[in-house]
Amino acid sequence: KIIIGSRNKVNNDKAVNEIRRRNPGANITALTLDLSSLKSVREFAQQIAESESKVDILVNNAGVPVVLGPPQETVDGYELHLGANYLGHFLLTMHLLPLMRRSVSARVINVSANWHVFSKIRLNNMNLRNGAYTAAKAHLQSKLALVLFTREMANRLGGPHSMVKTYAINPGIVKTRRVDNIVVRFIKALIALRIEMGPQTYLYCALAEQLENESGHYYDNCRRVRRMPGNAVDDQTAHDLWELSADFVKLEPQYKI
């Protein structure tokens, strides 16, 4: 059973109908979810809690790309990349964790990007205010935050001994939306993955039995990346980021770990 969470109802319906066309027996539904709104995240999680007895796999895939121009904010007042790419996923995961703990073996997949190696977490200025903002900084910080979130959650849950495992992935560049820029089209033609190859690392981390004894790590091209940069394995920063994130989203006591 698959539940899609997305803010665009039209795209939701298109995705569900396309999957059912290819597989008439598919058990799939779609619900409205805007990761840039903490209220929407809580409402979505409540819907899941009321309809499902457990959650086996959570794929935190939503997010905004590099948004050029002046900084934008979410409805909650957070920098847009931080809110939509990271804080929304943090809150959603914590609200669904009780349901994942009911699974025999649950997995959380956080979709990051290899570019996180060029970033750092600015704990004293996560919203990049006072002249610190650039679109690239904001986007890369959100992707690094997902890697550290994956690591810290695994540590808090007991690592590979927990029944809930966490994985961060790089999905790669995939040939999805058509672009008009001829240079971009040429580059994508050279390096982008075919659409059917795009989900492979997602599926590997969600389903591969050989990963049952791993948690908190980063994967690229269906392989664990064993030589990670220092910014992605900084346990003190990961801990501090977690505490700050819980404060930002006003995480309720019953969902804290």
Side-chain angles (χ1 to χ4, degrees):
K1 182 177 184 178
I2 296 174
I3 300 173
I4 297 174
S6 171
R7 62 183 178 177
N8 190 315
K9 186 178 185 305
V10 174
N11 287 344
N12 276 353
D13 293 341
K14 283 182 179 179
V16 169
N17 291 336
E18 173 65 14
I19 291 171
R20 285 179 177 163
R21 183 185 68 78
R22 297 183 181 215
N23 178 9
N27 186 353
I28 183 168
T29 56
L31 299 174
T32 300
L33 170 62
D34 182 354
L35 270 297
S36 68
S37 165
L38 300 180
K39 179 175 181 289
S40 176
V41 171
R42 286 185 165 93
E43 290 174 347
F44 175 85
Q46 184 60 34
Q47 285 182 281
I48 301 298
E50 290 173 356
S51 64
E52 307 303 320
S53 61
K54 65 186 176 82
V55 171
D56 298 302
I57 300 168
L58 171 63
V59 181
N60 289 320
N61 179 66
V64 295
V66 178
V67 180
L68 299 177
Q72 300 181 35
E73 291 187 346
T74 68
V75 294
D76 302 290
Y78 297 109
E79 189 279 317
L80 181 60
H81 299 85
L82 175 69
N85 292 359
Y86 169 64
L87 289 177
H89 290 126
F90 175 87
L91 180 63
L92 178 62
T93 303
M94 300 316 297
H95 270 247
L96 293 181
L97 181 58
L99 288 175
M100 287 187 279
R101 281 175 155 163
R102 297 179 187 174
S103 172
V104 174
S105 179
R107 298 188 183 190
V108 180
I109 316 300
N110 293 317
V111 181
S112 180
N114 282 345
W115 303 108
H116 74 267
V117 301
F118 300 110
S119 185
K120 66 178 181 179
I121 299 296
R122 299 160 179 84
L123 292 168
N124 295 322
N125 188 14
M126 291 292 293
N127 289 289
L128 301 178
R129 291 174 177 146
N130 302 316
Y133 177 87
T134 69
K137 278 184 186 178
H139 183 75
L140 296 181
Q141 178 179 243
S142 71
K143 293 302 181 180
L144 176 58
L146 286 167
V147 175
L148 292 175
F149 168 44
T150 302
R151 185 178 180 87
E152 179 66 10
M153 185 174 182
N155 288 337
R156 288 178 181 241
L157 290 174
H161 306 293
S162 171
M163 298 309 293
V164 180
K165 310 292 197 306
T166 66
Y167 310 84
I169 72 165
N170 171 52
I173 300 173
V174 185
K175 295 177 183 176
T176 51
R177 298 181 182 89
R178 178 179 172 83
V179 292
D180 295 326
N181 186 300
I182 191 170
V183 176
V184 175
R185 286 170 61 185
F186 177 72
I187 293 173
K188 289 189 75 172
L190 290 176
I191 65 174
L193 298 169
R194 300 190 311 275
I195 289 177
E196 61 270 22
M197 295 302 296
Q200 294 307 309
T201 303
Y202 294 71
L203 295 172
Y204 175 69
C205 289
L207 303 172
E209 293 181 1
Q210 60 264 41
L211 298 187
E212 192 59 35
N213 293 319
E214 296 182 13
S215 186
H217 304 298
Y218 182 78
Y219 298 79
D220 184 20
N221 197 26
C222 296
R223 293 184 180 89
R224 175 178 162 186
V225 179
R226 296 186 178 276
R227 297 183 64 181
M228 294 289 289
N231 63 341
V233 292
D234 185 335
D235 286 330
Q236 185 61 56
T237 298
H239 174 274
D240 294 345
L241 174 64
W242 182 288
E243 296 298 325
L244 185 61
S245 303
D247 183 57
F248 277 172
V249 303
K250 298 178 174 59
L251 188 64
E252 300 86 341
Q254 66 267 34
Y255 297 114
K256 292 184 177 181
I257 58 174

